[in-house]
Amino acid sequence: MHKAKKRIAVALVAAFSITTLAACGASGGDSAAGSGDDTIKIGVLTALSGPSAIYGDAITQGARLAAEEINAEGGVEGFRFELIEEDHANNPDSAVTAAQKMLTVDRAHALLSSFTAPTLAVRPMACEREIPVLNGGAIGADLIGQECLYNTVANTATMYPLLMDYAVDELDASKVAVIAWNDEAGGAVNTEATSSCKRLGCEVVAQESHDVGATDLSVQLARIKSAKPDMLVVGSWGDDLGYIISGAHKIGLDIPIVGSDYTPNVLTITGPEAIKSYSAILDRFDPSVGGPHTGEFVEAYKAKFDEEPTQFAANYYEHVKYVYADAVRRAVKDGKNPTESGVLLASIEALVADSHEFKSLYGESMIIRDDGTVAKPVSIYRVEDGVLAPIAEFAGSK
């Protein structure tokens, strides 16, 4: 299943050094057009504060660039795009409050969401108003097969079986420990690791959870060490991942560690020695294998934000530039007004039913499945000389 190993310079070191937003509830800067019947309002609901803001900054920047480009070209079928940005700080209650504002006060026609628990919390509200929700960051298994929700990021249910196959075959894992966020996303990782071990013949010897944003994992890691595992599976993200890897290194838990995240902050927290134990499965956003539009996106992003784009910026750029733009085109083709209630959702549903090929930054195109997932390429990476280098590649998550 694994292709030949090759080294690709994935420049993520500077990828998340993002300018702080001036106000969390403001419209999307230069991308905002005036409100009116010719404006498609897209709510961007993500973490713009707290330990998860590193993702929210990339998400908003990718969406902003797409909206700016669309508006500079005169819109889509004459419809301009306006972004309405709100901060949920990776908190479901805050997400519900922000979504209520977007849907009832701002009257958004579509949403971009992120993080598993917040996305699950706001989805019913959007469905009730026939509003589509696109997610390109959250990977919880419960996001699959949900009405009104479409996911363009590889999911826990598709990535972790591949990761566990690799761990057993290449890392000789037989006794596995799991540490994860105590929310839906972390629970999904625990479930997938356990079921994969049952399938592969390895044993889960310890399972620990922790609050999002925890910096001291010494108690959980001590219990894990006492169980004598030969591999640690992490279902935590952002800086939390760095503290887990660093904490394991400090107590002499010198075993392979695998997960599904990486940011430059992780390397800062762990240092170059501790990070050597870590392997991550991630969306394989590789500009060198994308089409011409991928290179154009990378250059435009670098010119505007003075940094390399990450997969999160790419995913939310795709949402605005390709998915919602194509939904507007479909609505107009069908003789409907995309600003009217339910029209954009119906258009996306029709495109999905027709196996429509949306343009993608991960190659020439992507097809969204009926269950709201896509098959995108993923790779397993290690950090070498400060950058991510792929060590196993998969053509697409199944």
Side-chain angles (χ1 to χ4, degrees):
M1 186 178 342
H2 300 154
K3 295 182 179 179
K5 296 179 181 178
K6 62 177 182 178
R7 184 182 179 88
I8 301 173
V10 182
L12 291 184
V13 174
F16 290 98
S17 178
I18 314 262
T19 305
T20 303
L21 292 173
C24 291
S27 295
D30 294 338
S31 65
S35 60
D37 292 339
D38 62 347
T39 301
I40 304 297
K41 297 181 180 180
I42 302 174
V44 185
L45 188 59
T46 189
L48 299 175
S49 63
S52 299
I54 193 168
Y55 305 105
D57 290 341
I59 286 167
T60 54
Q61 292 189 168
R64 286 177 191 170
L65 178 60
E68 286 184 13
E69 291 178 353
I70 286 172
N71 292 339
E73 296 164 359
V76 178
E77 300 291 342
F79 290 89
R80 298 173 67 81
F81 282 23
E82 177 182 350
L83 302 185
I84 303 162
E85 299 168 7
E86 292 287 346
D87 179 21
H88 64 43
N90 194 14
N91 180 289
D93 293 335
S94 298
V96 168
T97 300
Q100 285 174 336
K101 174 186 175 295
M102 287 178 169
L103 296 173
T104 61
V105 178
D106 301 313
R107 299 189 178 279
H109 305 107
L111 294 183
L112 301 179
S113 188
S114 59
F115 298 84
T116 299
T119 299
L120 290 172
V122 304
R123 184 201 63 82
M125 301 167 55
C127 284
E128 183 180 356
R129 294 166 175 80
E130 298 182 281
I131 299 294
V133 182
L134 293 183
N135 159 54
I139 65 172
D142 289 345
L143 299 166
I144 297 176
Q146 296 283 0
E147 184 183 2
C148 309
L149 175 62
Y150 301 92
N151 308 282
T152 66
V153 60
N155 192 274
T156 300
T158 57
M159 287 196 298
Y160 272 82
L162 297 175
L163 182 61
M164 294 301 292
D165 286 344
Y166 172 83
V168 171
D169 292 342
E170 302 295 331
L171 303 178
D172 298 322
S174 60
K175 298 173 65 178
V176 175
V178 182
I179 184 168
W181 280 355
N182 57 358
D183 69 351
E184 288 87 344
V189 170
N190 198 4
T191 297
E192 290 300 330
T194 302
S195 61
S196 290
C197 264
K198 184 176 181 180
R199 171 175 58 85
L200 296 168
C202 57
E203 178 188 3
V204 177
V205 296
Q207 296 168 304
E208 295 288 338
S209 64
H210 67 90
D211 292 337
V212 177
T215 59
D216 183 0
L217 289 306
S218 57
V219 174
Q220 292 95 327
L221 290 170
R223 286 197 291 256
I224 286 171
K225 185 178 181 181
S226 68
K228 299 181 179 180
D230 53 30
M231 190 184 75
L232 177 61
V233 178
V234 180
S236 309
W237 292 265
D239 291 358
D240 299 23
L241 170 63
Y243 290 116
I244 289 169
I245 297 171
S246 175
H249 184 71
K250 288 177 181 177
I251 66 171
L253 187 58
D254 298 323
I255 57 176
I257 301 174
V258 298
S260 59
D261 191 34
Y262 176 75
T263 71
N265 278 5
V266 169
L267 178 58
T268 300
I269 294 169
T270 65
E273 189 62 32
I275 199 68
K276 292 178 181 179
S277 65
Y278 182 63
S279 304
I281 189 165
L282 305 167
D283 282 2
R284 190 172 75 239
F285 175 60
D286 181 2
S288 69
V289 299
H293 52 279
T294 305
E296 293 170 1
F297 159 72
V298 171
E299 291 307 312
Y301 191 95
K302 288 164 62 177
K304 183 171 181 59
F305 302 112
D306 194 29
E307 63 192 25
E308 295 282 345
T310 66
Q311 72 268 30
F312 300 106
N315 290 348
Y316 287 83
Y317 177 93
E318 286 184 335
H319 290 173
V320 177
K321 183 80 171 188
Y322 305 139
V323 181
Y324 279 141
D326 280 1
V328 170
R329 294 185 184 99
R330 177 60 181 254
V332 172
K333 178 183 177 182
D334 292 343
K336 298 177 181 178
N337 185 336
T339 65
E340 292 181 357
S341 178
V343 171
L344 275 184
L345 178 58
S347 295
I348 292 180
E349 290 174 344
L351 291 169
V352 170
D354 292 344
S355 297
H356 175 75
E357 293 188 8
F358 297 94
K359 190 179 287 187
S360 175
L361 297 174
Y362 290 75
E364 289 303 318
S365 64
M366 67 177 173
I367 295 176
I368 299 178
R369 304 184 183 108
D370 290 338
D371 65 356
T373 63
V374 297
K376 273 188 171 179
V378 297
S379 287
I380 297 175
Y381 295 88
R382 283 189 184 144
V383 179
E384 297 181 5
D385 298 326
V387 298
L388 289 175
I391 54 177
E393 300 180 359
F394 307 90
S397 53
K398 303 300 182 185

